[in-house]
Amino acid sequence: MKNLAIFLITFTLCATSLSAQNEKFQMAMGKALGQMSAAKGPEDLKNTANTFSRIASAEAAEWLPQYYAALNHLWAGYSIMESNMTEAQALAKTALSEIQAGQKIAPNESELVALEAFAYQLQLLEDPMTKGAEMSGKIFATLGKAESLNPANPRVYYLRGNFTLNMPEFFGGGAAKAAPDLQKAVAAYAAFKPASAFHPNWGATEAGELAEKVK
C-alpha cells in the first residue's frame, strides 16, 4: 500500500507537470500563430519565425514550431526574392535546416515533406535556367513522397499545381497540366480537418483562386 501511495503521488505530480507544460506550449503557439496572422511584410514574417524558433528551443519534442519557423522564413523569402535574391536564398537555407530539425522529430510527417518541396522551389528560382532540370525532378519527387505519406494533405496538390502552372509548357508545365492537381487541392481542402488548431491549415484560398484561373 505504501509503494502504491508513493506511485500515485509521483504519477499525479508528473501528470500535473506535463499538463502545465502542455498548457504553456499551447499558449505560446496560440500567441505565435496570432502574430503570424497579423504579419504584414517580410520583417514581420522573420520576427514571427524567430518566435517559433524560440518555442522550438523550449519544446524539443514538438515538430510544429520548427514547421512554422520554416514556413515564415519561406514566405519572407518569396516576398523579397525580386528585390533581394541573396537574402531570399539564405532564408530558404535556414528554412530547410528547420524542416530537417522537424523531420528528426516526425520523420513521416507529410506536412514537413511538402514544406521541404516549397523550400526547393524557392531555391530553384535563384536561377531557373541552370537549376530547372535538376530541381524540378527533386521537387516533384518530394511532393510525391508527401502525397504517399498522406494523400489527404491538400498542400501537396496546391504546391504541385502551383509549381506546374508556373513551369514553361515545353518542360511539361502550364495551365492544362496544373488543372488536375489544383482541382484535387480544392476538393482536399474542402474535406480536410487539421489534427488540432495548431496544425497546418493554409493555402485553401490560393488554391481556389488558381483552380478558377486554369478552368
Side-chain angles (χ1 to χ4, degrees), residues 160-183:
R160 190 162 61 202
N162 186 37
F163 181 62
T164 303
L165 179 63
N166 289 287
M167 285 177 61
E169 290 189 10
F170 57 83
F171 282 143
K177 295 286 187 180
D181 268 322
L182 292 172
Q183 290 163 3

Side-chain angles (χ1 to χ4, degrees), residues 13 46 49 59 97 99 113-114 118 123-124 126 149 164 193 197:
L13 289 172
K46 287 187 284 185
E59 301 287 347
S97 295
I99 291 165
V113 179
F118 194 39
Q123 288 188 322
L124 181 154
E126 181 183 25
L149 289 169
T164 303
K193 293 182 180 179

Side-chain angles (χ1 to χ4, degrees), residues 22-202:
N22 187 48
E23 184 178 349
K24 183 179 178 182
F25 170 68
Q26 291 182 7
M27 288 179 65
M29 286 294 292
K31 185 176 180 180
L33 287 169
Q35 182 182 346
M36 184 174 80
S37 296
K40 298 187 182 301
E43 292 306 315
D44 286 349
L45 290 167
K46 287 187 284 185
N47 288 335
T48 303
N50 290 337
T51 298
F52 281 113
S53 292
R54 288 193 291 273
I55 298 173
S57 296
E59 301 287 347
E62 300 285 351
W63 65 269
L64 284 168
Q66 297 285 9
Y67 176 92
Y68 284 112
L71 179 62
N72 280 273
H73 277 134
L74 289 173
W75 279 343
Y78 277 103
S79 71
I80 65 169
M81 64 180 186
E82 292 185 4
S83 59
N84 191 342
M85 182 59 83
T86 300
E87 185 181 357
Q89 292 303 309
L91 290 168
K93 185 176 180 180
T94 298
L96 279 168
S97 295
E98 291 160 342
I99 291 165
Q100 289 163 3
Q103 288 172 332
K104 289 179 181 178
I105 301 165
N108 295 317
E109 177 51 58
S110 173
E111 296 286 3
L112 285 165
V113 179
L115 198 64
E116 182 182 350
F118 194 39
Y120 292 149
Q121 290 179 34
L122 181 53
Q123 288 188 322
L124 181 154
L125 291 172
E126 181 183 25
D127 188 352
M129 293 301 293
T130 302
K131 294 185 173 183
E134 176 188 354
M135 292 297 293
S136 293
K138 190 173 186 178
I139 289 163
F140 282 121
T142 304
L143 288 170
K145 179 181 177 182
E147 182 180 5
S148 69
L149 289 169
N150 182 9
N153 182 354
R155 275 156 292 282
V156 170
Y157 309 110
Y158 162 52
L159 291 172
R160 190 162 61 202
N162 186 37
F163 181 62
T164 303
L165 179 63
N166 289 287
M167 285 177 61
E169 290 189 10
F170 57 83
F171 282 143
K177 295 286 187 180
D181 268 322
L182 292 172
Q183 290 163 3
K184 282 183 182 179
V186 170
Y189 275 114
F192 181 74
K193 293 182 180 179
S196 77
F198 304 132
H199 280 69
N201 193 23
W202 58 274

